[in-house]
Amino acid sequence: MDIEQPRQGLGCMRLRDGAEPGLDRDPSAVIGSALDHGVTFLDTADMYGNEALVGRAIRGRRDEVLLCSKFGVIWGEGGSWSVRADAAYVREACEASLRRLGVDVIDLYYLHHRSDETPIEETVTAMAALVDDGKVRALGLSNVTEEDLRRAHDVHPISAVQEEWSLVQRGFEAMVPAVAELGVIAVAHSPTGHGLLHSPQVDEATDPTDARLRTALADIAARHDVTPGQVALAWVHHRSQTWGLPVVPLPGTTSVRHLRANIAAADLTLSTADLALLDALGPGTVGGPAYPRAGG
Ligand SMILES: NC(=O)c1ccc[n+]([C@@H]2O[C@H](COP(=O)([O-])OP(=O)(O)OC[C@H]3O[C@@H](n4cnc5c(N)ncnc54)[C@H](OP(=O)(O)O)[C@@H]3O)[C@@H](O)[C@H]2O)c1
C-alpha cells in the first residue's frame, strides 16, 4: 500500500510527559490540536522514548492519524548510539513499538538510519514481511544514501524518505532527483534547523553567510507580516514546486501556540523574488552537522 501525501506533519520527538494538562505545553493538547487542524501525519521513533505518550494522545482518534515510527537507532552510554537492522531485530522492534503505541498497525515504518553491517536488502525484506503480516502499512527510510534507496526500492516499494532539509541543511538535495524518479515522498525533518531559524538574530559574532540568511529571512518576514521561522518553513514547502516531487515538511514543537504558527506557514506563498533571494544564499554554518548521521 502507499500513503496519501499529507501537507505537513508534526514531529513528536521533543514531546515529553510532565507538562501541566490543558496548558500550552501539554503534549496531549499539542497532538490533539494538530489533529483538530488536520495535521494528522505524526512522526515518532522508538529512540525518542515517547511512543507510549503518542499512543495515549491519539487514543479514540486512531482513524484520523497517519502514524509513523522508526526503528534501528539504539542509545548507548553517555549519549552514544549504534544501529541494528538485522531481520530478527526488525520484527522485535516493530512488535515493541506496536505495544508501546497501543495500536495494531503502524502506517509508515522507517529504518531510522542506514547500517554498515546489515545489507539493506535483508532489512527491507524483513520490513516487507511486516507489511504482509498487517503490522505495517508502508515503508520508509531515513538517513540513507541514494544507493541504499535504490537497492531497498528493488526489494519493496519505499513510500517515503525522511531527511533533514532546511535553509541551513541542504545536503539532501544531491539525492532528490533519485527520490523524484522513484516516486517517493520526501519528508523534510527539522525544517527550521532544529529551531535556529525561528530566532534569526545577527550580531558581530555571526558568520557572514549566516548573517545574510538571517537578514533576508527577517526582511521577507516583515514584508509578509509573519515570523522568520514561518518564512523558513514556507521555503521548505516551496521545495515541492522547485524540485517537482511531493515534499512534506516535518516541523517539531511542544507548544500549541507554535503549532498554530507552523500550520499557518503552510499557506504562506513566497514570491519568485523571495525564493530567488533565499535560494541564492549558501547554507552557512548555523545548521551544524545533521543528526543522527552515519559515522557520528
Ligand atoms: N529522522 C531523523 O533522523 C530525525 C532527526 C531529527 C528530527 N527528526 C524529526 O523531525 C522533527 C522536527 O525536528 P526538530 O524538532 O529537531 O527541528 P525543527 O522542527 O526545525 O525545530 C524545532 C524547534 O523549533 C522550536 N519551534 C517550533 N515551532 C516554533 C515556532 N512557531 N516559534 C518558535 N519556535 C518554534 C521548537 O521549540 P518549541 O517546542 O518551544 O516549539 C524546537 O525547539 C522531530 O520531531 C522528528 O520527528 C527526525
Side-chain angles (χ1 to χ4, degrees):
M1 123 166 212
D2 215 339
I3 56 165
E4 201 180 312
Q5 189 205 330
R7 189 116 187 270
Q8 181 168 290
L10 170 64
C12 297
M13 178 176 77
R14 298 170 192 268
L15 294 177
R16 292 284 174 276
D17 280 319
E20 268 189 73
L23 295 182
D24 185 59
R25 297 279 170 180
D26 171 13
S28 295
V30 173
I31 289 178
S33 183
L35 299 183
D36 292 345
H37 288 87
V39 175
T40 58
F41 187 72
L42 304 184
D43 185 82
T44 185
D46 54 5
M47 80 172 296
Y48 300 164
N50 65 6
E51 287 179 311
L53 178 163
V54 172
R56 280 197 312 278
I58 63 170
R59 205 145 299 151
R61 303 185 73 172
R62 174 66 185 95
D63 292 350
E64 295 171 51
V65 178
L66 251 171
L67 184 59
C68 314
S69 194
K70 319 184 196 76
F71 74 94
V73 179
I74 299 170
W75 288 115
E77 296 206 354
S80 64
W81 54 275
S82 58
V83 176
R84 237 192 109 176
D86 56 281
Y89 184 73
V90 172
R91 180 159 291 266
E92 183 188 320
C94 180
E95 284 172 356
S97 283
L98 288 168
R99 269 196 307 279
R100 284 188 295 265
L101 289 161
V103 298
D104 297 328
V105 62
I106 295 168
D107 297 307
L108 175 59
Y109 197 45
Y110 294 92
L111 169 66
H112 203 154
H113 196 289
R114 70 182 312 280
S115 165
D116 290 333
E117 281 86 43
T118 306
I120 199 143
E121 288 81 0
E122 175 181 333
T123 309
V124 176
T125 299
M127 293 170 78
L130 297 173
V131 177
D132 292 342
D133 292 351
K135 293 176 188 291
V136 161
R137 291 212 169 94
L139 304 186
L141 302 175
S142 185
N143 300 298
V144 292
T145 64
E146 177 180 333
E147 189 197 336
D148 294 331
L149 171 62
R150 289 188 183 280
R151 285 169 52 188
H153 206 74
D154 282 346
V155 175
H156 186 279
I158 300 299
S159 298
V161 167
Q162 182 178 139
E163 298 291 333
E164 185 164 357
W165 200 1
S166 74
L167 275 163
V168 290
Q169 193 57 258
R170 295 175 63 173
F172 174 54
E173 289 171 14
M175 70 183 278
V176 162
V179 175
E181 175 202 320
L182 296 173
V184 175
I185 294 174
V187 176
H189 81 70
S190 313
T192 63
H194 306 282
L196 281 159
L197 297 174
H198 284 292
S199 55
Q201 288 144 353
V202 180
D203 58 31
E204 58 284 357
T206 310
D207 170 90
T209 309
D210 297 346
R212 280 196 293 279
L213 172 57
R214 288 165 181 246
T215 303
L217 280 175
D219 289 350
I220 295 168
R223 276 205 297 283
H224 290 272
D225 196 20
V226 296
T227 66
Q230 286 175 307
V231 175
L233 189 45
W235 179 87
V236 180
H237 273 283
H238 284 74
R239 296 309 85 201
S240 194
Q241 71 191 50
T242 304
W243 288 91
L245 85 169
V247 177
V248 183
L250 187 60
T253 183
T254 57
S255 152
V256 172
R257 195 166 51 83
H258 290 170
L259 170 82
R260 291 192 187 129
N262 297 342
I263 292 169
D267 290 327
L268 176 58
T269 303
L270 299 177
S271 70
T272 308
D274 296 335
L275 290 168
L277 176 58
L278 293 172
D279 282 337
L281 293 166
T285 59
V286 290
Y291 154 85
R293 273 280 166 213

